[in-house]
Amino acid sequence: VCTVNFSEAFLTNRPKTHAGARMAVFSLVNTLTELTQVETVRILCVGRTVGNYGGLNLSEPLHREEDALGAMGLPSSGYDATLYVPCGGGLGAVPLYIRRTTGRSLEADLLSALVAFPATNGYENPFPEGTVAAEVAVEDGLCRVTFNSAFAQCDADPAQATLAVRSVVATLCGLSHIDRVQLDQSQAPLTSVDISEPIAPEESWFLP
């Protein structure tokens, strides 16, 4: 664990957005973890633990995030996208290079990356283990998604179900050709969240 103790300016002049905070923090973490003797990075400010930093939880040592490095040097058969992942009470934008799968749609690849996103460094994964997008179709700006039955397990916790639905809707609507999402209830019915009609993202869902 490499501990870095910053001056007060680290807090008083911190970035105003989650994206800016993520860039600042993981430029540090990923740089230091290039060293073979460093596995994680603990960030302090004038000797004290830092809690919420632009939605990121800095109270525990942070692990390297390869996805924060961008697409440099990666194969061209991919797509620069943004996942919207629960973090610090809202949805945080996480830029991600999506490796495309032959014969599968971009939307399906994006959802696969979303449900597999690791719950580390303050980010949450609200999707029950085994969740898979069985069918994805787009027409006239509406994306219809059918999850397998594993998805319905999040219904046991209404807060988790809400985060899962919002994460799916926000991530898919981040694509320029999608403006609303309809979740099919035939395989994974939810009772704690109303998904009977198409859903569009709301500004209140997102971290600044």
Side-chain angles (χ1 to χ4, degrees):
V1 180
C2 178
T3 299
V4 182
N5 187 18
F6 284 111
S7 65
E8 188 67 32
F10 179 72
L11 289 180
T12 56
N13 297 328
R14 66 183 174 186
K16 304 299 183 186
T17 65
H18 174 75
R22 176 178 165 80
M23 184 178 296
V25 167
F26 287 105
S27 64
L28 172 73
V29 173
N30 286 351
T31 296
L32 289 172
T33 52
E34 285 286 331
L35 302 173
T36 56
Q37 69 269 33
V38 178
E39 295 180 2
T40 60
V41 177
R42 176 187 290 115
I43 296 176
L44 304 178
C45 183
V46 291
R48 298 190 301 269
T49 300
V50 180
N52 188 305
Y53 190 80
L56 293 169
N57 179 13
L58 305 191
S59 62
E60 298 291 335
L62 299 167
H63 295 266
R64 182 179 182 85
E65 281 205 11
E66 295 291 342
D67 294 329
L69 296 174
M72 186 177 296
L74 294 174
S76 58
S77 58
Y79 184 86
D80 285 316
T82 301
L83 304 183
Y84 287 92
V85 183
C87 175
L91 296 180
V94 178
L96 188 72
Y97 184 78
I98 303 294
R99 292 171 176 81
R100 298 302 313 280
T101 303
T102 303
R104 191 163 66 167
S105 69
L106 169 61
E107 297 80 17
D109 280 342
L110 191 60
L111 288 176
S112 292
L114 179 64
V115 299
F117 193 82
T120 59
N121 297 332
Y123 290 100
E124 302 172 44
N125 184 324
F127 301 98
E129 185 176 353
T131 296
V132 174
E135 294 181 30
V136 185
V138 181
E139 185 177 358
D140 296 330
L142 174 65
C143 183
R144 297 183 180 276
V145 181
T146 301
F147 283 107
N148 65 347
S149 58
F151 180 72
Q153 296 173 25
C154 69
D155 206 27
D157 182 346
Q160 178 186 356
T162 297
L163 288 173
V165 169
R166 290 180 176 182
S167 186
V168 168
V169 171
T171 296
L172 288 172
C173 289
L175 300 174
S176 60
H177 59 286
I178 297 174
D179 53 37
R180 60 204 191 284
V181 175
Q182 176 69 68
L183 296 177
D184 186 347
Q185 299 194 74
S186 60
Q187 297 295 321
L190 297 182
T191 59
S192 59
V193 182
D194 183 6
I195 59 172
S196 60
E197 298 292 334
I199 304 172
E202 298 179 14
E203 187 175 347
S204 62
W205 295 359
F206 303 94
L207 293 172

